[in-house]
Amino acid sequence: MRVRGIGVVVCALAIAACGGSDTASQADADPDPMRIGPQGRVAQFVVECEVSHIGFDDPIVLPWQPGKSHQHQFFGNTVTDSEPGYERAVGAETSCDQRLDTASYWSPTLLDATGKRIESSGLVAYYRPGNGVDPADVVAYPPGFMVIAGSAAADEPQGQDVIAWGCGSSAVREDRPPVCSEESTLRLWITFPDCWDSSRLTAFGSGAHVRYSDDGCPESHPVALPQLQMAIDYPPVAPEGLSLSSGSIDSAHADFWNTWDQEKLEREVELCLNRDLVCGLSG
């Protein structure tokens, strides 16, 4: 059983918390900062996913327009394409270690100086309370919720609170890809908005239905959702000449579509985030 994350309070205090669908996972004392989480011992649960497929589709920005998007690498849900139908996607197969995480995560592909795609070695998804949000106030994403972080139109760094690069689990972040050692990975960090207007499941790319928390959520977007932080790993390639399928290296962004097993997601939020625990998930 794979377990990520540690906690001062053991997650097994709650039945089915922070683990597989039926049993609780164990907490351990691992000093690796990636296992602790990007914000240290902050309430969170974690999922790891491999690349599911590559495609020129985007069900948020270009729904019902197959092949019209720039190239994306998809993680998690194996059927995601340009069709935004929730019933078709929920419960599909997944490339994530948590088999009930059938959500879809995607981002533009990373290209080397010759335009060749650099294969990602996987994604780590951290779910946590946002800035200044009381963990007890966080609620699960509603079924079918869609959100984007970052901008494909950006032509300069977007700010490390949204898009950042680093080496492996190092806490050092940079605006653009750094030189990483052969023992590490090149890692792209994408942080998503976490405050919702309580009505719209998507704004089809505009982001009008969400905001970032800043000492809590604003009155216009009062519902605190988990703040998703995606960490996408690549080989430690030389940074010179890197670009993305969406444009320059500054055009980094990512998308999330909640097609989780909803009952499982709600349990993780309640038994890990709401109880202020650092938890892992088993497959």
Side-chain angles (χ1 to χ4, degrees), residues 34-65:
M34 184 172 66
R35 295 176 74 90
I36 294 172
Q39 289 186 329
R41 299 174 192 270
V42 174
Q44 62 194 270
F45 59 94
V46 183
V47 180
E48 293 182 0
C49 309
E50 297 178 351
V51 174
S52 167
H53 57 286
I54 305 293
F56 292 86
D57 297 317
D58 191 325
I60 297 179
V61 178
L62 294 168
W64 304 289
Q65 299 181 59

Side-chain angles (χ1 to χ4, degrees), residues 58 61-62 69-72 106-109 148-158 162-163 190 205-206 243-255:
D58 191 325
V61 178
L62 294 168
S69 174
H70 52 256
Q71 189 178 69
H72 285 114
W106 65 96
S107 68
T109 53
I148 300 173
S151 172
D155 57 7
E156 60 183 22
Q158 301 181 53
V162 178
I163 301 294
I190 308 108
S206 74
S243 64
L244 293 162
S245 57
S246 51
S248 78
I249 201 67
D250 293 324
S251 68
H253 61 284
D255 305 65

